[in-house]
Amino acid sequence: MKTYGRRSFLASVSCSLSTLAAAPLLPFAPVQTDSSCWLEACAPFILEDAERGLTTEIVLTSDTFVGTRGHEDGADATEYEILLYDSAGSATGAGAIARRFTVPAMHTTVIPVRELTGQARNFYGGMKIRLRPRCRELMHASDLFSSAFVRWSTKASFDNVHANPDPPQWQNTQPFYYSMPYPSLADYSCTFSLFNPNRTRSAGEIIIHDPQGRRAVAHRYELRPYASLLLNLNTGSFTSDPWQSPAKEKALHHGGLLAVINDEGTAKSFGYLMIHQPARERFSVEHPIHQGLSRPGPTVAPFDAQRQFRARNVLYTPLLFRAKRIGGITLESRCHFGSGLPLEETQWIYPFAADGEGRAVWSAMKDQKLPGCLPAGQTENGIIRLAAGQSCLLDFRELSLASNFSGGLAVAVSPDTTHTLMKLEVRVPEWGAHAFTHFRPGLRSARLYQQARQRGGLATDYIVSGARLIRARNRVEADELLGIINIDDRGLAAQPVIELFDSRGLIKRVPLGTVPPFACRHYLLSEQIAGDAALGMLSLRLTDERATLLMSVIHLDYLRRDIALDHGSDRFSTFQDYNCR
């Protein structure tokens, strides 16, 4: 088996990480553990619709525990409080708190929203989720991105997205720029749900940009405490119907970038974007990211004397497919890149792909088809260049990546940017199914996460949730496709183990074999577990003692003929940043 060392791998894609490798890690400040405390996440789109058969569930992972196996002896748990508000901002339940739970560590717990709304047939609003670990040593939640998930289901479609962190450090009234790229409005009906989880009002502007960054639509908004609103991107107008299907002649037939800017002195809000196929009743849900409101600095050309791209960071997804048959279906990937509000006037983006053996098999810089696939002025020397508010689509059916491919996509960037501005779309053509998620942060972030003492020394400790494995009479009805990419820069071959958790805790531990350096491999869960099974809802945990890995999954539902994505999250990704101070 041929594997690539770091130097030869990077040389093969015309990319230099010298500036990234030389950059020191941020100083590590030991987490104060003299008290446990409540932290918060919020879910901006809670929906019950009896006419459409749509139900919503909350999935609690309780994934804060001490050490590598602190979930096994029952000593660690997490307290949850769920606060549910209708669209007008009125609380549902006894007082403001709809339910309280104490969940043992890694006992995946599912809460139907209908139990919280008093069996109401229809409901639309937002949710706050407060959590406080009760562990063998006092500590706050280790990862707010994987503590709670929202799952929507109909007879035809389903999706799940994590609740969004709202730690005390973010709960202020400074202006934020909150943005994400959105897909073609000729293909989808997109409805944005904005929720104010604060006790003070939120006011500002919602802007829809076209791919060149021009303002196509802009609306002022004002939300009372705990209230919600809906904006349909196709019509550019507010609506009361999350399933609105505008006539095509009224639609803005392009993708672009959605941005929300809250006024100074008012609270920021949180949103989910429902991406809906009206003809097939399919939907997927994604979210924007907050960043500080600032003026971009001057453009810095990112090329060295040898015309190599000098990256400030690298972002990843292990879910890159080109006409690949896995599990009886065909998988296709495409990417939606947005600049948001970049640190410099130009955001440079350089994608390249690696296969299951760790070989660099495709790069944008070497693909002569790239300039013809993007709007004029958005490429230079094979690198994507975006100004503030701009966006683009990278469709691998139009590029030179060979068919029958499965692997990982890395995106080198300059200046640094957030991984959530890089959206991934996976399609199953024969099902008419689609799903969206976003990329993962790179090695620099992972090295910070690994410093937490409570982690127990694991190089990889990754969580996804909402998984299922249902197999009866030799027929698979629900399955999971795991994508695992080895991003470690020390040339280590990984030996990952996947752990399965349900409401009873750990039910199985499965070694996955070897993942070579820089390789991306895919595993069907049904092929790792023999015999009939009906397992769900599951949380999946990926661990490796030495190598740094990332994991994302595709949830496969063969009865609905639909898919959903979970990008996965390191179990300590917010531990050092978001405490109670």
Side-chain angles (χ1 to χ4, degrees), residues 242-266:
W243 302 100
Q244 183 180 15
S245 302
K248 286 190 175 182
E249 63 269 20
K250 295 182 180 180
L252 301 169
H253 285 178
H254 49 65
L257 189 110
L258 169 71
V260 181
I261 304 174
N262 64 290
D263 295 342
E264 187 168 6
T266 74

Side-chain angles (χ1 to χ4, degrees), residues 53-93:
L54 184 141
T55 60
T56 305
E57 296 171 317
I58 308 303
V59 182
L60 309 178
T61 58
S62 186
D63 62 354
T64 296
F65 56 87
V66 179
T68 60
R69 297 192 177 184
H71 57 82
E72 293 184 343
D73 58 8
D76 295 350
T78 299
E79 296 179 62
Y80 286 93
E81 291 183 350
I82 295 180
L83 300 87
L84 183 62
Y85 303 92
D86 65 20
S87 59
S90 298
T92 300

Side-chain angles (χ1 to χ4, degrees), residues 14-52:
S14 303
C15 182
S16 169
L17 295 186
S18 58
T19 55
L20 177 60
L25 293 175
L26 297 177
F28 173 61
V31 174
Q32 298 293 323
T33 57
D34 55 351
S35 65
S36 69
C37 59
W38 293 97
L39 290 176
E40 296 181 359
C42 66
F45 189 61
I46 304 299
L47 189 64
E48 291 282 325
D49 188 328
E51 286 72 24
R52 293 185 176 272

